[in-house]
């Protein structure tokens, strides 16, 4: 009799029906005796729930992200007249959450006295930020936009200009006929209240970027004394502007860019690399009048990683 009773007890305990019933009763009991939501107090003694707290934190973070972008601050994103900016989209889902591993602006080379007497012109030259494009079949027309990484790089560029009190000194902003170069310097031009001048003027998209070198150099040399110029170029044009002898049609500014790979990084073909280093460089160059020899001397003041 004892053995039979023990087996019957085990059978009842393992019965799925009974276990289901017990679970159902427990669930019903939990829902009927649901504890009230916790309440918190604000600084103004107003109560609010934990769910409200989480939602407010999420909204605040979203608004902070919007404020941190220079593009979102300078431009109206509902304005469809600037498709290059407002069609901006990530390459993939990973681009949206990509960590920004690029260090903040870092000066790798500088001259002790950056405010030298006799400086007639100051030039900041850089490559356009990372971008994407969408073209028609024959590539005569393309829509370009900066990638999320490129927008972050432009944000850092603007912050560098603001922190070093350069914005108010800018007198000219030069770019090429390809829209990605203008997109890189548009926020700076907006803050400095200066128009972006593109070279070659009125050129079609299919025109080679090398055609912009000579017209850009002519514009730099024709600017008045004490000008501060921003130049946004390409991986193939930067050294043609800085150096001499790399362009067969005109002479560059005259810097020696052949020796220092850290300050003037190059790919195998002598142009800027296509990696992160190739997009990170900002060079500050001074043109100094030498009245005794009746010529100008070009010096590198700073090399900054943006």
């Amino acid at each position: 009799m004892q053995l039979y009773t023990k087996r019957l007890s085990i059978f009842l305990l393992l019965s799925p029906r009974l276990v289901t019933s017990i679970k159902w009763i427990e669930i019903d009991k939990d829902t009927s005796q649901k504890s009230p939501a916790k309440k918190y107090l604000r600084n103004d003694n107003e109560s609010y729930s934990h769910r409200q707290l989480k939602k407010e934190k999420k909204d605040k973070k979203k608004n902070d992200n919007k404020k941190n972008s220079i593009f979102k601050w300078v431009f109206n994103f509902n304005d469809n007249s600037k498709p290059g900016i407002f069609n901006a989209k990530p390459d993939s889902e990973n681009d949206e959450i990509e960590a920004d591993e690029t260090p903040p602006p870092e000066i790798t080379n500088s001259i002790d006295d950056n405010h030298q007497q006799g400086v007639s012109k100051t030039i900041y030259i850089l490559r356009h930020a990372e971008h994407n494009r969408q073209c028609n079949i024959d590539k005569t027309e393309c829509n370009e936009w900066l990638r999320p990484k490129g927008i972050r790089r432009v944000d850092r560029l603007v912050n560098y200009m603001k922190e070093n009190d350069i914005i108010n000194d800018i007198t000219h902003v030069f770019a090429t006929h390809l829209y990605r170069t203008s997109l890189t310097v548009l926020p700076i031009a907006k803050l400095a209240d200066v128009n972006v001048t593109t070279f070659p003027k009125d050129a079609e998209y299919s025109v080679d970027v090398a055609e912009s070198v000579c017209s850009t150099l002519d514009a730099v040399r024709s600017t008045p004394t004490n000008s501060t110029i921003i130049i946004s170029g390409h991986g193939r044009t930067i050294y043609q502007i800085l150096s001499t002898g790399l362009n067969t049609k005109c002479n560059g500014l005259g810097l020696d860019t052949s020796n220092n790979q850290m300050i003037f990084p190059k790919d195998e073909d002598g142009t800027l690399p296509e990696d992160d280093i190739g997009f990170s460089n900002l060079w500050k160059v001074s043109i100094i009048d030498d009245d005794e020899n009746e010529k100008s001397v070009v010096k590198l003041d700073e090399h900054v990683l943006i």
Side-chain angles (χ1 to χ4, degrees), residues 99-144:
D100 189 0
E101 298 179 353
T102 307
E106 173 187 349
I107 299 175
T108 59
N109 184 71
S110 63
I111 294 176
D112 292 336
D113 184 9
N114 289 328
H115 303 284
Q116 305 170 62
Q117 294 182 354
V119 173
S120 65
K121 297 173 187 178
T122 302
I123 302 169
Y124 294 89
I125 183 167
L126 69 154
R127 185 185 189 175
H128 62 80
E130 294 89 333
H131 76 291
N132 278 334
R133 66 177 180 176
Q134 187 174 10
C135 304
N136 57 8
I137 296 177
D138 54 1
K139 292 187 177 180
T140 56
E141 294 182 1
C142 294
N143 181 28
E144 297 184 339

Side-chain angles (χ1 to χ4, degrees), residues 37-156:
K38 289 185 177 180
K39 295 285 183 177
Y40 301 85
L41 288 178
R42 295 179 185 276
N43 293 333
D44 53 4
N45 293 327
E46 231 180 275
S47 64
Y48 64 104
S49 67
H50 183 65
R51 181 174 294 178
Q52 287 174 312
L53 175 64
K54 289 180 67 178
K55 184 177 184 302
E56 288 185 7
K57 284 185 177 179
K58 185 176 180 181
D59 292 341
K60 184 178 182 300
K61 185 176 181 182
K62 188 176 181 181
N63 291 332
D64 288 344
N65 289 337
K66 287 183 179 180
K67 291 178 184 177
N68 288 337
S69 173
I70 296 297
F71 276 92
K72 293 177 183 178
W73 176 67
V74 171
F75 300 105
N76 176 11
F77 270 70
N78 295 321
D79 180 4
N80 294 324
S81 64
K82 299 183 177 68
I85 296 175
F86 306 108
N87 285 348
K89 51 189 177 183
D91 295 339
S92 63
E93 294 180 358
N94 293 332
D95 242 346
E96 294 181 352
I97 58 175
E98 178 183 3
D100 189 0
E101 298 179 353
T102 307
E106 173 187 349
I107 299 175
T108 59
N109 184 71
S110 63
I111 294 176
D112 292 336
D113 184 9
N114 289 328
H115 303 284
Q116 305 170 62
Q117 294 182 354
V119 173
S120 65
K121 297 173 187 178
T122 302
I123 302 169
Y124 294 89
I125 183 167
L126 69 154
R127 185 185 189 175
H128 62 80
E130 294 89 333
H131 76 291
N132 278 334
R133 66 177 180 176
Q134 187 174 10
C135 304
N136 57 8
I137 296 177
D138 54 1
K139 292 187 177 180
T140 56
E141 294 182 1
C142 294
N143 181 28
E144 297 184 339
W145 62 89
L146 296 185
R147 296 174 54 192
K149 189 173 185 178
I151 293 177
R152 293 195 296 272
R153 195 177 299 282
V154 173
D155 286 345
R156 292 196 296 274

